[in-house]
Amino acid sequence: MPISRNTAIAIIAVLGALLVFRIATADERPSRIIYPEQRLPLRFSHAQHMGTVKMSCETCHTGIRTSASSLDNNLPQEADCVSCHAIDRTKPEKTTAGPAAACVRCHPSYDASQGRIERVLLPIPNLKFSHQGHLARGDSCETCHGDFSAVEEASAEHLPSMRTCQGCHDGKKANDVCTTCHLAQAGLLMQSEFPGVGTLSPSGSLRGARHDMEFRTSHKYAAQNDSEFCASCHRKDFCQDCHNGIQKPMDFHAGDYVRIHSMDARRNSPDCSSCHRLQTFCQGCHSRMGVADDEKGGQFRGTGAYHPEGWNGGGLAGRSANHHAFEAQRNIKQCASCHREHFCISCHSAETGGIRANPHPRDWRGSRRCRALVKRSRRMCLRCHVDPAIGC
Amino acid sequence: MAEEPEPGIVRRLRMPWRYGAGFSAALLLLLSARTSQAYEFEVKAQTVGQGATLRTLGLGANSSVLRRRRLTQSLQLSIWDLAGTRDAFARWQPQGPKGPRYYFASYLRLDHEQGSWASGQLLLDGRLVDVIDAIPELERTSLQLDILYGYFGAEGLAGGRIDVFAGRQMDVQTLDWFSMDGIKIRAHLPASLQVEAFAGLRVRDNSFGATDAFSPDGTSSAFCEEFVEGESYGSGGWRPIDGLPITMGNRFTSDAELCPQRDEAMPTLGFAVATEHLRKFTGRLSYRRSHSSSPGILGEVDRLDNPDLGYYPFESEIADSGVNEERLALSLRGHLSPGGSLRLTPYAAVRYSVLHGLIDEAHLGTKFVRNAHSLEPEVFYSAPTFDGNSIFNIFSSEPYNDARITWRFSPKTHVWSSYLRGWGRRYHSEDAQQAVDAVGLGANTYSGGGQGGLRRRSGGWEVRVDAFAEAGYGGRRAGALLAGGFEVSRDLALHGRFSLVHLGEGSPGTLEGTAGGLQAGVRYRLNRGIATSLVVEETSNAFDSFALAAVALVDLAFQPKT
C-alpha cells in the first residue's frame, strides 16, 4: 500500500520525537566513569527484606560502619545471608519452609549440571568515599541512596550522583574541593582519564561547562570568571598547548586551512588573537611566502595586483565601496598581516611629506577616546604628529 | 584503581625520561636530598616534528613551493608538596593533613623552525644579507627557548587564607589572559570572596625566554624606527634603525633586536576580586595596567647620516612613559536550577579599556539546559583595540555586534552528540551614514551563517560530520568535514578526516574555488607513558594540485584518551 507524503512525514516526526525523548530522558544516570559497568546476576528484593520483613540495611551490609574506603566490597557475603537463609552448599536445591535456601533462588544463573553460578562483577568506583565517616557524622543510608523499602534489585542507578553529594558538599557544610571525592593525580589535579573505562568530563551541572562536541569553540565564557574550575582537571600546559601551540590543531583548523583562513581573519572570528599575534605570526608567514608588503621581496609590492580597483584615492566624498578605509576601520588586523605601521604613516602622517590623509574617526577631537589615548599613550600620537603640543 | 602509596613516601616518576644531562643531574640532586621523601614530581616531555609544503601566492610563474620543517621539544616539570606530605595523603584520602602546600611548576619549550626562507641570504641593494635581517619576523621562529611558565606556589598560608605565586606565570584574567614575571598574592576572605593582587614585568616577545603570543597585540614591535632629525629640531622623519653592520653574519639575530621601545620593560600591576565556594553565582572583577618607559638616547646604535640622539621627536618633551594596556573587566555568571531538570546559566561580561576610553568587549547570554539538551542565545559586542604604542588604535574604529544561538545535544552516554549554531553580525561604521550609503557599503555591513554537527561514538568507533555555510562581509563559504576514528586496541588508534570547502571571497579580491583536504593519522602506544603519533595531510585546491604536511609526535607521560 503506497504511503502518502504526509503520512511519511508524520511517521518520521513521531519516530524522531520518540528518539529525542528516549535519549533525553536517559540522561540523569550516575556516571559510568565514576561507577564502571557492574554485573549483578542476583535476585534480591530490597522491598521484601526492608519493606516486608523490616530489616535494616546493616543487617546484611554488616561492615558498612567500619568501611573507610571505596576499595572495600560492602556487598553481603554468604555468611551474612545464612543467618536467615539455611544455605547448604552440599544441597544446592534444598527447599525450606522459611527463607529460600536453594541456590537458584538468589542466583538465577545457577547451572545445576555444572554447579556454577555467574559471578558478580563490581568494579571499584573511581571515587574516594568513607561510609564510616559519613555514618559517624549522622548521615543515614537514605541520605545518599534513597528509600530502598520499595526497591527490588539494586543497581548502579541507586548509587548517588554528584548532585546528591552537593547537597552537603557545598563548601560550607562540607568541603567542596573536587579531590575530596574524586581521585587525584600528582599536584592534586583531578584524575579524568580512566584507561579502559573512559574520560570523566563535566556534566554541566556545576558551571554550565558541559564538554560537548562544540565546547572547544565556546569554552572561553565558562573559563573567563572561574579559571580555577578549569584548573581542577587541566594544568596550564593544557591551555598552552593550543593557545600557544606550535602545531596546527588538525581538527580545529582542518584541511586546507591555509587557503580558507582569510575569511576567518577578515571577520576575526574565531578571534585570531587568542593564539596568534599580528606582528609575528601573520606577518612572519606572509613575509615568508612573499605576500607581505616587504620592501625586500614582497611579490605584490607596487604591482597593484592584490587589491581591487578603487582601493585608494577619491577622498572622503569620492570613496568607492572597495576603498581601503572601510576595511581598515573595520578590521585593520587584516591590513597589518601584510603592512607595517610605517606603510600607513607614509600617507596618513600629519607631518612628514605624505598626503596627510586624516585617519581619525569623525568627531575625534574632544572625544573621550582621544583624551584617553593622549593622556595615557602620547608617544603613539608622535608617530604621526611631530608637534608636541598636539591634543584633543 | 591505582595502588596505595606507602605512608610518607611518595616518589612518582610517570615516565622514562631522558632529556638533558644537566637537568637529570639536578633531578638526581633533588632525589638524593634528605627531604626527598616529602615531595613528588611529574615530568612530561613531548617531541614534535613537522614538515609541510606551502605554495606562495606568486604572480604567475613566480609561484613556488616552500618546504618548511619544525622540530619542537617541550618539557613540563612540576615538583609538588615541597615541604610536606599533604598532597600524598590527599590524593588517596578525602582529607589530607592541614597546612600549606609548596610546589614548583614549569613548562619549557625548545622550538626550531627551518626551511625555505627561514635561513639563507639574499641580495639587497647590492649587498648580500641574511634573509633573517631583511625579514625580522622570521627570527622569531628560527630557534628559541620558550619558558611558558615557571613559578613557585605556596597555597594555604596563614591558616589557609593566603596563596602566593612567584615567577613566570600566565593567568586568565576575565576575558583575556596574560603572562608576567612577578608575584601574585591571593587572599581568601570571609563571605565567599577572594582578592588577588599582582605586580611584575609583563612577558612580551622581547622578554627572556618568551613567546610572542604573550605580547599585547599591535604592530609597535614589528618594525623598529627612530626619528631622524632634519635641519631644524622636530622637522625630521622616521627611519628604520640601521643596525646591519652589527648583526651581519649571525643567522639568529636581526635588526629587529635594535628596537629601543620594544626593549623597554613593561611593568604590570593589577588586582581581582572574585567569588569562591558559591554554587549559584560566580563573579570576577579585574583590573590590569601595563606601561613602559619611553626610550631615551640611542647613542652608538645610530649611524645614519643625520644622527639623532633620541628615539622619538622632541625626546625631552614627551612623557617619560606610556600605557600599553589598561583594562577593567567584570564577569558574572549564574548557575541556577529553577525546577525539575532545567538548569539556567545566565552570564554577562564587559571589559572597559581605560587606555582607549571605551568598552571593547561585552557579552550577554543564557544557557538553558534540560537533560541532554541545551539552548544558548547570546549577544556579543567587540571593538578593536591594540597595544598603546600602535597607531592602529586610531585607524581601527568600527565595532560589531553578534547575535548567536546554539542548540546542543549531549547525553551522558556520549553515544550521540549534536549541535546547531546560527549567528548574525552587524558592523557599526563610525563614518557618517551618508558616506556609507553613498558608496553602497550598506549591504556589506552584515554577515552571518550557520553550522551543525553530529557525532556518534560507540565501541571504539567515532564518526563526526560538521557542515557550515557563511555569507556576507568577509565572503561566502560553505563546506563539510567528515572525521572518523577507531581504536583498534588500547595501544593502537587510527583516525582520518576529509574536508571540502567552497569559498568565494567578497571584496576585495575575487578568489573563488573549492578546496579539499584529506588527513590520516595513527597513534601507537609503545608503553605506559610513551606514545607516538603520525598525521599526514594532503590538500588540494584550484591553485595547488597538492600540498603535503606531516606531523610526527613522541609523547612521554602520555595518557591515552578513551
Side-chain angles (χ1 to χ4, degrees):
Chain A
M1 185 177 72
I3 299 175
S4 71
R5 186 181 169 194
N6 287 344
T7 307
I9 290 172
I11 291 171
I12 291 170
V14 169
L15 289 176
L18 286 173
L19 177 65
V20 168
F21 178 78
R22 165 73 183 85
I23 300 170
T25 54
D27 192 43
E28 291 298 319
R29 299 189 304 180
S31 167
R32 288 288 179 270
I33 310 299
I34 297 297
Y35 306 114
E37 205 67 47
Q38 303 175 350
R39 197 169 63 238
L40 297 170
L42 296 170
R43 182 186 295 145
F44 184 87
S45 170
H46 284 83
Q48 185 180 357
H49 287 76
M50 300 178 72
T52 308
V53 188
K54 304 295 182 190
M55 295 167 66
S56 74
C57 303
E58 292 177 65
T59 307
C60 301
H61 298 279
T62 51
I64 205 71
R65 281 201 178 270
T66 56
S67 170
S69 169
S70 59
L71 299 172
D72 298 340
N73 180 358
N74 289 310
L75 276 190
Q77 305 300 305
E78 188 177 312
D80 301 313
C81 304
V82 294
S83 58
C84 298
H85 297 267
I87 301 169
D88 185 349
R89 289 194 174 219
T90 62
K91 299 175 182 173
E93 296 176 17
K94 177 181 177 182
T95 57
T96 62
C103 297
V104 74
R105 290 295 299 272
C106 297
H107 299 281
S109 62
Y110 175 68
D111 182 348
S113 63
Q114 299 286 326
R116 289 179 184 166
I117 58 170
E118 190 180 349
R119 310 306 298 182
V120 168
L121 177 67
L122 192 68
I124 295 166
N126 293 311
L127 202 65
K128 306 174 195 171
F129 190 80
S130 169
H131 282 90
Q132 180 188 41
H134 284 77
L135 291 170
R137 288 185 188 89
D139 295 330
S140 69
C141 303
E142 289 77 14
T143 307
C144 301
H145 296 286
D147 182 9
F148 259 68
S149 61
V151 172
E152 289 295 326
E153 275 139 15
S155 69
E157 309 303 319
H158 299 100
L159 294 168
S161 67
M162 194 162 80
R163 184 178 285 191
T164 307
C165 305
Q166 288 173 319
C168 296
H169 287 272
D170 58 359
K172 294 169 185 167
K173 192 174 174 185
N175 197 337
D176 66 347
V177 176
C178 301
T179 51
T180 302
C181 303
H182 288 284
L183 301 184
Q185 306 174 61
L188 298 189
L189 191 77
M190 201 174 117
Q191 183 176 344
S192 57
E193 296 288 344
F194 297 93
V197 179
T199 301
L200 185 65
S201 65
S203 66
S205 62
L206 281 177
R207 295 287 188 273
R210 180 178 290 185
H211 287 15
D212 48 50
M213 64 185 291
E214 199 250 352
F215 188 70
R216 287 187 71 174
T217 56
S218 61
H219 68 279
K220 172 181 178 179
Y221 305 109
Q224 66 188 7
N225 72 357
D226 194 6
S227 59
E228 287 177 48
F229 175 71
C230 309
S232 303
C233 297
H234 303 292
R235 294 199 207 291
K236 290 179 176 174
D237 65 303
F238 181 84
C239 310
Q240 295 279 309
D241 283 344
C242 279
H243 282 281
N244 196 0
I246 44 81
Q247 181 185 342
K248 183 180 92 163
M250 290 290 194
D251 53 346
F252 203 68
H253 288 338
D256 194 6
Y257 191 74
V258 171
R259 190 64 57 196
I260 66 177
H261 78 282
S262 59
M263 290 186 188
D264 286 344
R266 194 168 293 164
R267 294 187 181 120
N268 194 33
S269 181
D271 185 356
C272 307
S273 65
S274 298
C275 305
H276 308 297
R277 290 293 177 269
L278 285 172
Q279 62 266 34
T280 48
F281 185 84
C282 302
Q283 285 201 350
C285 194
H286 286 181
S287 290
R288 187 177 298 133
M289 294 181 69
V291 294
D293 179 43
D294 289 309
E295 293 174 15
K296 311 141 186 175
Q299 296 185 57
F300 294 94
R301 183 175 176 80
T303 65
Y306 189 80
H307 294 301
E309 197 173 335
W311 187 250
N312 288 317
L316 182 63
R319 285 188 287 188
S320 77
N322 288 335
H323 199 275
H324 73 276
F326 298 115
E327 295 290 334
Q329 289 172 357
R330 182 167 295 178
N331 184 10
I332 204 166
K333 290 182 179 181
Q334 61 178 325
C335 311
S337 65
C338 293
H339 300 287
R340 303 163 199 262
E341 281 188 345
H342 74 108
F343 181 80
C344 308
I345 292 174
S346 63
C347 289
H348 289 283
S349 172
E351 307 289 342
T352 53
I355 59 174
R356 303 185 70 174
N358 179 9
H360 295 290
R362 286 172 182 273
D363 304 321
W364 174 257
R365 276 190 180 276
S367 68
R368 186 173 55 185
R369 190 171 163 196
C370 175
R371 290 196 303 272
L373 280 167
V374 167
K375 181 179 178 183
R376 288 176 174 77
S377 187
R378 186 179 182 81
R379 64 191 180 212
M380 176 196 67
C381 307
L382 292 175
R383 300 286 297 171
C384 296
H385 300 277
V386 171
D387 181 4
I390 194 75
C392 296
Chain B
M1 178 67 73
E3 60 185 353
E4 293 270 359
E6 292 181 30
I9 302 177
V10 178
R11 288 183 198 160
R12 189 163 185 244
L13 183 58
R14 300 188 55 190
M15 34 146 265
W17 179 64
R18 307 178 192 108
Y19 186 72
F23 216 84
S24 299
L27 283 177
L28 283 173
L29 280 173
L30 287 170
L31 284 169
S32 60
R34 298 186 69 181
T35 55
S36 63
Q37 293 181 350
Y39 68 86
E40 54 187 350
F41 64 89
E42 184 180 59
V43 182
K44 291 182 184 175
Q46 192 177 66
T47 306
V48 180
Q50 300 179 74
T53 56
L54 281 176
R55 185 171 293 274
T56 64
L57 269 179
L59 295 172
N62 292 333
S63 179
S64 60
V65 173
L66 305 180
R67 292 178 175 82
R68 306 290 307 166
R69 296 178 295 279
R70 192 167 192 173
L71 183 67
T72 310
Q73 175 70 53
S74 63
L75 172 71
Q76 184 209 307
L77 168 68
S78 301
I79 307 174
W80 309 101
D81 217 6
L82 283 167
T85 55
R86 177 182 159 176
D87 281 16
F89 282 100
R91 282 177 63 187
W92 306 100
Q93 301 297 333
Q95 301 287 347
K98 301 284 184 188
R101 297 175 63 221
Y102 300 96
Y103 59 87
F104 172 75
S106 65
Y107 191 23
L108 310 177
R109 193 165 67 188
L110 190 64
D111 188 21
H112 188 193
E113 185 172 16
Q114 56 182 323
S116 310
W117 283 89
S119 57
Q121 295 182 317
L122 58 75
L123 199 61
L124 176 66
D125 296 335
R127 290 186 300 175
L128 198 62
V129 300
D130 287 347
V131 169
I132 212 161
D133 278 337
I135 307 173
E137 283 75 18
L138 299 180
E139 180 259 349
R140 312 300 178 90
T141 52
S142 287
L143 178 63
Q144 63 183 40
L145 172 67
D146 302 334
I147 304 173
L148 297 169
Y149 59 80
Y151 63 96
F152 286 94
E155 297 184 25
L157 301 171
R161 289 189 290 273
I162 301 291
D163 304 329
V164 178
F165 309 91
R168 174 163 296 178
Q169 48 199 301
M170 53 156 286
D171 210 358
V172 177
Q173 212 212 358
T174 320
L175 293 178
D176 68 350
W177 53 306
F178 77 108
S179 176
M180 69 164 186
D181 293 327
I183 187 165
K184 180 171 80 173
I185 298 174
R186 179 192 297 149
H188 302 275
L189 305 179
S192 301
L193 280 179
Q194 62 172 241
V195 176
E196 283 179 9
F198 56 85
L201 296 178
R202 175 77 181 254
V203 176
R204 50 196 308 208
D205 50 1
N206 246 28
S207 304
F208 171 73
T211 71
D212 55 272
F214 290 120
S215 276
D217 210 0
T219 56
S220 58
S221 64
F223 194 74
C224 299
E225 297 176 307
E226 62 178 324
F227 189 81
V228 178
E229 293 289 6
E231 293 182 357
S232 60
Y233 189 50
S235 65
W238 290 88
R239 296 272 299 274
I241 295 173
D242 182 10
L244 278 175
I246 288 180
T247 56
M248 281 281 284
N250 184 346
R251 291 171 53 190
F252 300 122
T253 58
S254 76
D255 290 357
E257 293 177 1
L258 299 172
C259 188
Q261 184 62 67
R262 197 180 56 184
D263 285 338
E264 291 294 330
M266 197 181 284
T268 296
L269 53 87
F271 69 87
V273 181
T275 61
E276 61 179 2
H277 302 307
L278 291 182
R279 287 178 55 193
K280 295 186 176 179
F281 170 76
T282 49
R284 185 179 176 87
L285 172 71
S286 64
Y287 170 82
R288 186 177 76 230
R289 183 181 195 269
S290 299
H291 69 278
S292 56
S293 298
S294 304
I297 294 171
L298 290 176
E300 295 180 357
V301 172
D302 195 330
R303 284 175 301 282
L304 293 173
D305 295 338
N306 297 310
D308 176 43
L309 295 179
Y311 182 67
Y312 290 100
F314 300 101
E315 194 70 32
S316 60
E317 298 174 48
I318 68 165
D320 290 339
S321 68
V323 175
N324 292 87
E325 192 176 73
E326 188 171 5
R327 288 171 166 175
L328 182 66
L330 174 68
S331 173
L332 306 171
R333 199 171 170 92
H335 315 283
L336 310 174
S337 299
S341 57
L342 179 65
R343 289 194 297 271
L344 287 181
T345 308
Y347 54 85
V350 62
R351 186 175 67 198
Y352 180 74
S353 174
V354 182
L355 167 65
H356 300 87
L358 54 80
I359 291 173
D360 65 352
E361 192 167 316
H363 193 209
L364 182 69
T366 301
K367 183 186 274 189
F368 301 87
V369 181
R370 185 179 177 85
N371 293 335
H373 299 271
S374 72
L375 190 68
E376 184 175 4
E378 55 186 308
V379 289
F380 179 78
Y381 170 86
S382 176
T385 55
F386 298 91
D387 176 355
N389 282 338
S390 175
I391 62 167
F392 291 162
N393 288 306
I394 304 300
F395 292 75
S396 188
S397 59
E398 192 170 316
Y400 67 79
N401 276 111
D402 271 6
R404 307 166 184 161
I405 187 162
T406 309
W407 167 79
R408 303 177 182 90
F409 170 67
S410 181
K412 282 184 182 176
T413 57
H414 298 297
V415 176
W416 286 99
S417 299
S418 183
Y419 75 96
L420 285 172
R421 184 176 177 87
W423 61 275
R425 172 174 298 179
R426 179 168 184 258
Y427 293 91
H428 302 274
S429 172
E430 282 194 11
D431 260 336
Q433 191 58 45
Q434 61 268 30
V436 173
D437 293 339
V439 298
L441 198 68
N444 211 18
T445 57
Y446 295 93
S447 62
Q451 64 189 91
L454 182 67
R455 182 179 68 192
R456 178 175 168 79
R457 283 176 171 168
S458 181
W461 280 96
E462 176 176 332
V463 179
R464 171 176 179 155
V465 60
D466 294 82
F468 55 88
E470 301 167 355
Y473 174 75
R476 288 177 291 106
R477 186 168 62 181
L481 288 87
L482 175 66
F486 177 58
E487 282 203 347
V488 180
S489 68
R490 190 167 160 177
D491 294 331
L492 180 65
L494 308 172
H495 59 92
R497 184 173 288 106
F498 173 68
S499 64
L500 194 66
V501 180
H502 181 80
L503 67 156
E505 284 194 336
S507 175
T510 54
L511 188 61
E512 182 105 20
T514 301
L518 189 63
Q519 289 175 13
V522 58
R523 188 200 74 214
Y524 182 64
R525 197 176 74 145
L526 295 169
N527 203 338
R528 183 177 179 181
I530 307 176
T532 58
S533 297
L534 177 66
V535 181
V536 178
E537 180 183 82
E538 169 67 28
T539 59
S540 176
N541 54 53
F543 312 97
D544 306 327
S545 57
F546 75 93
L548 187 67
V551 178
L553 187 145
V554 178
D555 201 349
L556 304 179
F558 170 78
Q559 291 185 319
K561 303 289 180 191
T562 50

